[in-house]
Amino acid sequence: MSEAGRAAWLAWKLRTFGDEKSIWHDGLGVELVTRLRGAARADALAMLRQGLALGDVHAARALAAMDDHDSAAAVRAALDRSAGNERVWLAVTLHQRHREPALASHLIAVLQAIDPQQSWGAGRFDAAIGLRHFAGRDAEAALLVAVADAQYLVRYHACESLIFRWKIKPPSITKHPDIFAEIRDDAGDHALARERLRALARRRPIA
């Protein structure tokens, strides 16, 4: 693609979604394009396909949210190439459009990938958040393991996702002080926290 085409895509992306820092901080606002209709939708699809051709995973995620059938194969290819939080949220977006429990494998792979250069768990806590949207034993098992993760944010979001999945009340780990006291401390008894969380699930009321 020409430099002019690349520049046009980057300018459109900036106008539509904001800069990379705001996307990282606030998330990709896919609703800004999914709500479009008619000519405006066609124009957005054309620009997003251009971004996808340039290898931009944000374009892939927006196209997945728009359920663009013409780009489906390229979006799947982008998922296979992606990594970290971009891989997580592209898989989640695809799952939200067409329920595909097997896509949880992408999040589990990110969650279980330990990178000593990422001491604060970048991408991995996104995976712990995203797994709440996937049913199945593999997703649940991965979250249970993550309750004892070395990174606090991973532990915290794994607990939050299990509480969400199991419909535990109150719906926040901070409202269960005996568990939260263990997971917020790197030296806490994380295995005990996991067992207490399981006990809460066993006692939850039947919906």
Side-chain angles (χ1 to χ4, degrees):
M1 185 175 292
S2 69
E3 285 304 312
R6 182 184 298 272
W9 157 248
L10 292 174
W12 184 88
K13 179 182 178 181
L14 179 63
R15 290 195 308 272
T16 305
F17 299 117
D19 61 19
E20 295 295 324
K21 183 178 180 179
S22 64
I23 292 172
W24 178 85
H25 186 269
D26 301 324
L28 185 68
V30 294
E31 69 282 353
L32 297 168
V33 290
T34 56
R35 68 191 182 194
L36 298 175
R37 299 292 182 268
R41 176 182 169 86
D43 290 345
L45 285 171
M47 290 306 303
L48 290 167
R49 289 167 187 157
Q50 192 167 315
L52 182 59
L54 289 165
D56 193 316
V57 73
H58 292 139
R61 186 177 170 200
L63 286 166
M66 295 176 80
D67 207 14
D68 180 37
H69 299 290
D70 292 340
S71 303
V75 168
R76 296 288 174 153
L79 176 61
D80 292 335
R81 294 193 304 269
S82 61
N85 65 331
E86 294 175 344
R87 184 181 185 187
V88 167
W89 295 116
L90 179 51
V92 170
T93 301
L94 286 165
H95 179 62
Q96 288 172 336
R97 295 299 304 175
H98 303 281
R99 292 294 176 187
E100 296 181 59
L103 288 171
S105 64
H106 291 277
L107 284 76
I108 293 170
V110 173
L111 180 61
Q112 295 176 345
I114 306 299
D115 183 352
Q117 302 303 313
Q118 295 285 3
S119 60
W120 56 287
R124 299 180 60 242
F125 68 82
D126 291 284
I129 296 169
L131 279 170
R132 72 187 58 184
H133 302 294
F134 290 84
R137 293 182 178 178
D138 289 346
E140 184 171 296
L143 287 169
L144 281 166
V145 170
V147 171
D149 195 86
Q151 302 301 328
Y152 165 67
L153 284 175
V154 176
R155 295 194 299 272
Y156 174 86
H157 289 297
C159 289
E160 290 284 281
S161 286
L162 287 166
I163 285 172
F164 177 87
R165 290 166 63 94
W166 292 338
K167 298 180 174 60
I168 292 172
K169 304 295 183 183
S172 171
I173 192 62
T174 62
K175 302 299 183 183
H176 302 278
D178 59 330
I179 302 174
F180 186 57
E182 301 298 344
I183 67 107
R184 70 183 176 187
D185 187 346
D186 286 348
D189 190 337
H190 305 148
L192 176 61
R194 180 166 49 213
E195 290 311 308
R196 286 175 172 171
L197 197 57
R198 280 174 159 158
L200 281 179
R202 288 193 292 270
R203 295 199 302 269
R204 72 185 188 272
I206 298 173

